[in-house]
Amino acid sequence: MPFLRSSPCILIPLLGLVVGACRAPAPDAQRPSRLLAGWMAGSFTSAAQHAAAAEDFFDIRLAMAPIWSGRSDGPWLYVEQAVATAIDRPYRQRIYHLVDQADGSVRSDVYTLPGDPLAWAGAHTAPQRFDALTPEQLQLRAGCSIVLRRVDEHTWAGSTEGNGCASERSGAAFATAEVTLTGQGMATLDRGFDAAGKQVWGSTKGPYRFEKVALTTR
């Protein structure tokens, strides 16, 4: 499977001795996390899906913008999601941190913003606003990370693992998330379950399908 990472050092027999030789790490631009960050950065809409099945899917707008581009610990993105009729009042705002894993997968850690998240509404159009913020001011959503793995040359997919992503929305005990990414868009399925495992929120008709409509650049 492409992108699998082995040890940067190998053992080479030489004149009866075993000599260690180390390869240089992959350039930052070639890391899977950078590829995925490029796919994720932009503006997305589920308008086409809503038009085809308005009773099952809302018209949702999703925006992701790279932040803290000078950091060396992997890409960070600001994410906000809103109903098209209330675009200035997003119902979900998060910070994602993409971390390359030794097996070639990419872990997307999820953080919440400090204070009133709505104070950051629309910040995807001016991500330099986050220069006044640091990762230490964020709150990690433990158990909510998504592990993404390569499906083929054009597709990555992943999900949360287990039931450790706590949720109190609509009587839920935990939430799950599934995502499929391509260079043209993404499909996402977020659901909440009560302690007995019964779904209490989220789509019951399959994933939301978002088409990429414009890049968000700094």
Side-chain angles (χ1 to χ4, degrees), residues 1-3 32-33 35-37 39-40 64 77 96-101 103-109 145-151 155-161 177-182 186-188:
M1 173 177 165
F3 293 120
S33 62
L35 169 70
L36 296 185
W39 286 2
M40 294 166 70
M64 302 193 193
L77 300 104
Y96 291 171
H97 181 206
L98 304 185
V99 183
D100 290 289
Q101 303 295 286
D103 64 356
S105 65
V106 175
R107 190 184 73 241
S108 177
D109 292 333
S145 297
I146 292 176
V147 178
L148 296 158
R149 295 180 172 87
R150 184 173 178 173
V151 177
T155 311
W156 285 66
S159 65
T160 50
E161 299 182 339
E178 302 171 37
V179 62
T180 300
L181 292 170
T182 72
M186 67 184 71
T188 65

Side-chain angles (χ1 to χ4, degrees), residues 175-207:
T176 64
E178 302 171 37
V179 62
T180 300
L181 292 170
T182 72
Q184 290 72 49
M186 67 184 71
T188 65
L189 180 58
D190 299 323
R191 295 179 291 175
F193 299 86
D194 65 18
K198 178 183 177 181
Q199 184 176 343
V200 294
W201 61 259
S203 172
T204 60
K205 301 292 186 178

Side-chain angles (χ1 to χ4, degrees), residues 8 12 44 57 76-77 117 152 156 169 176 179 201 209 218:
I12 303 174
F44 302 81
F57 298 96
W76 294 76
L77 300 104
D152 56 39
W156 285 66
R169 175 183 166 188
T176 64
V179 62
W201 61 259
R209 302 190 182 279
R218 185 165 184 174

Side-chain angles (χ1 to χ4, degrees), residues 1-208:
M1 173 177 165
F3 293 120
L4 284 179
R5 292 189 174 187
S6 58
S7 168
C9 298
I10 57 177
L11 299 179
I12 303 174
L14 181 64
L15 298 179
L17 300 175
V18 177
V19 180
C22 296
R23 299 188 299 272
D28 189 60
Q30 296 180 12
R31 294 177 181 173
S33 62
R34 292 294 174 186
L35 169 70
L36 296 185
W39 286 2
M40 294 166 70
S43 298
F44 302 81
T45 176
S46 68
Q49 186 182 39
H50 170 71
E55 68 281 4
D56 297 322
F57 298 96
F58 293 103
D59 184 357
I60 302 297
R61 305 302 162 87
L62 171 64
M64 302 193 193
I67 63 174
W68 303 326
S69 57
R71 293 184 63 90
S72 61
D73 56 353
W76 294 76
L77 300 104
Y78 166 65
V79 183
E80 71 175 42
Q81 205 164 320
V83 177
T85 54
I87 200 69
D88 59 334
R89 293 189 63 82
Y91 62 84
R92 179 177 296 158
Q93 294 167 268
R94 299 286 188 262
I95 300 290
Y96 291 171
H97 181 206
L98 304 185
V99 183
D100 290 289
Q101 303 295 286
D103 64 356
S105 65
V106 175
R107 190 184 73 241
S108 177
D109 292 333
V110 181
Y111 292 82
T112 55
L113 291 158
D116 180 6
L118 286 178
W120 299 93
H124 62 283
T125 63
Q128 66 273 11
R129 288 175 56 189
F130 290 95
D131 290 347
L133 201 62
T134 67
E136 290 72 26
Q137 294 172 270
L138 308 177
Q139 180 66 48
L140 175 67
R141 295 203 69 207
C144 298
S145 297
I146 292 176
V147 178
L148 296 158
R149 295 180 172 87
R150 184 173 178 173
V151 177
D152 56 39
E153 184 179 355
H154 307 290
T155 311
W156 285 66
S159 65
T160 50
E161 299 182 339
N163 58 3
C165 183
S167 172
E168 298 180 352
R169 175 183 166 188
S170 301
F174 67 93
T176 64
E178 302 171 37
V179 62
T180 300
L181 292 170
T182 72
Q184 290 72 49
M186 67 184 71
T188 65
L189 180 58
D190 299 323
R191 295 179 291 175
F193 299 86
D194 65 18
K198 178 183 177 181
Q199 184 176 343
V200 294
W201 61 259
S203 172
T204 60
K205 301 292 186 178
Y208 269 81

